[in-house]
Amino acid sequence: MIIVFGSINIDLVARVSSIPRPGETVLSPGYETLFGGKGANQAIAAARASLPHRVAMAACVGGDAFGRSARDNLVRNDVVADLVVDSAEPTGCAFITVDERGENAITVASGANASLSEATLRGFEANAATVAVFQMEVPFSASLNVARQVRAAGGRVIWNFAPAPTAFSTRDLSDLVDETDIFVVNEHEAITAAKLLGCETDRFEDAGAYLSGSGCTCVVTAGAQGAFAFHSDGRSEIVEAPPIRPVDTTGAGDTFVGILASGLDEALSFTKALQRACYGASLACLAYGAQTGMPTRAQLGVI
Ligand code: RIB
């Protein structure tokens, strides 16, 4: 069983010809209201890639229309949402601009996500078959405590260091990697994390190899270059991404993480799970919005 402990947002998305620089205003013909949040995106990507009823999510939403529709969206996508609770704060909201090349800029107003605590998981018992997924849009101390519980029960932890926090201590990051089996980062997050742990480099490959020295597998997602996995025993592997013309890269990393979790939950080999995740993340870039293009099992070529 997969449990995603993380964020839920509503994404307000505007297409622009170019992403505004500081002080600049650009016009967009309109905007769309879409489902998002790194946690919810990862849960839905995992559920679409998995056999039925394999994914649950623990999260906070506001007692508002956004929160109700976000919870319904999880259920529609076969994510167990019993541990999605109401908070006094409004549902998290992300303000996203997407340019003509499919690149994005995102501001997240945390709202209810900041209320998530380990108490939300009351009633959930981790065991050796648990695959727990974390990101960085909810309180870190709560995620760390839940990760410790999962590992103590023999379960596995996938931690996506996104968005990489601007202020994060070496101590916190070292606690995080100590409780992580698979640490997933993009190129920039890899370099940021390695620097925080004492390795100055501008090469994500060196950063990934260094991070795996702490005992976890470090997976660096590198867009069109594919995914690079660095294992703690010094082995590494590269999976190529299929060539695509991206429409919107929002949620591609989340899709990767969700499908990777699904593959591990299904007991695929690590390499096979990595290949499936890389392929699925590419497919997700072919549609507008974080969740729209996330592939189903059939689209991943799995019966
Ligand atoms: O990773 C993409 C997600 O980041 C968006 O859905 C947005 O909600 C932000 O959390």
Side-chain angles (χ1 to χ4, degrees):
M1 185 82 186
I2 298 166
I3 176 84
V4 179
F5 187 82
S7 58
I8 293 179
N9 295 327
I10 292 296
D11 292 352
L12 300 180
V13 188
R15 291 181 208 234
V16 292
S17 50
S18 63
I19 291 168
R21 288 162 303 173
E24 191 184 12
T25 300
V26 297
L27 295 183
S28 169
Y31 68 93
E32 285 183 70
T33 307
L34 299 171
F35 295 109
K38 289 191 189 301
N41 294 344
Q42 293 172 6
I44 286 174
R48 287 193 191 158
S50 297
L51 290 166
H53 317 318
R54 296 300 304 167
V55 185
M57 177 160 196
C60 286
V61 290
D64 47 28
F66 276 174
R68 284 188 290 279
S69 61
R71 190 190 275 106
D72 289 349
N73 178 53
L74 289 173
V75 172
R76 262 197 315 276
N77 279 280
D78 192 31
V79 175
V80 177
D82 300 357
L83 298 175
V84 176
V85 301
D86 281 358
S87 130
E89 299 300 319
T91 300
C93 202
F95 305 91
I96 304 180
T97 42
V98 181
D99 73 12
E100 284 167 346
R101 291 171 304 150
E103 297 290 345
N104 62 49
I106 305 179
T107 302
V108 176
S110 295
N113 292 312
S115 312
L116 186 61
S117 77
E118 51 270 51
T120 310
L121 266 187
R122 237 191 308 269
F124 176 84
E125 289 288 333
N127 58 40
T130 301
V131 177
V133 181
F134 303 88
Q135 338 71 38
M136 302 301 291
E137 287 186 333
V138 295
F140 170 65
S141 59
S143 298
L144 186 62
N145 286 335
V146 172
R148 285 187 171 132
Q149 285 171 33
V150 169
R151 298 254 298 190
R156 281 171 292 177
V157 166
I158 300 177
W159 207 311
N160 179 209
F161 193 55
T166 42
F168 204 58
S169 71
T170 300
R171 172 69 194 274
D172 281 346
L173 184 56
S174 126
D175 285 349
L176 185 163
V177 290
D178 279 353
E179 296 300 337
T180 297
D181 296 281
I182 301 167
F183 187 55
V184 184
V185 281
N186 66 21
E187 301 111 295
H188 309 293
E189 291 153 0
I191 290 165
T192 303
K195 186 174 178 185
L196 208 49
L197 291 184
C199 169
E200 284 282 351
T201 177
D202 55 7
R203 293 188 71 245
F204 72 81
E205 297 92 333
D206 294 341
Y210 181 80
L211 290 163
S212 69
S214 62
C216 60
T217 290
C218 178
V219 177
V220 186
T221 57
Q225 292 181 73
F228 296 65
F230 302 91
H231 299 285
S232 57
D233 61 5
R235 281 178 310 115
S236 62
E237 47 192 316
I238 303 174
V239 172
E240 285 184 11
I244 53 153
R245 190 184 283 245
V247 173
D248 181 3
T249 58
T250 309
D254 302 333
T255 306
F256 181 95
V257 170
I259 298 177
L260 183 66
S262 164
L264 297 180
D265 177 58
E266 204 174 314
L268 294 185
S269 71
F270 188 81
T271 304
K272 192 96 189 113
L274 202 61
Q275 286 166 343
R276 198 185 275 182
C278 209
Y279 178 61
S282 300
L283 294 184
C285 297
L286 300 178
Y288 191 60
Q291 296 176 11
T292 322
M294 285 176 177
T296 59
R297 248 176 116 68
Q299 287 166 328
L300 287 168
V302 189
I303 311 295

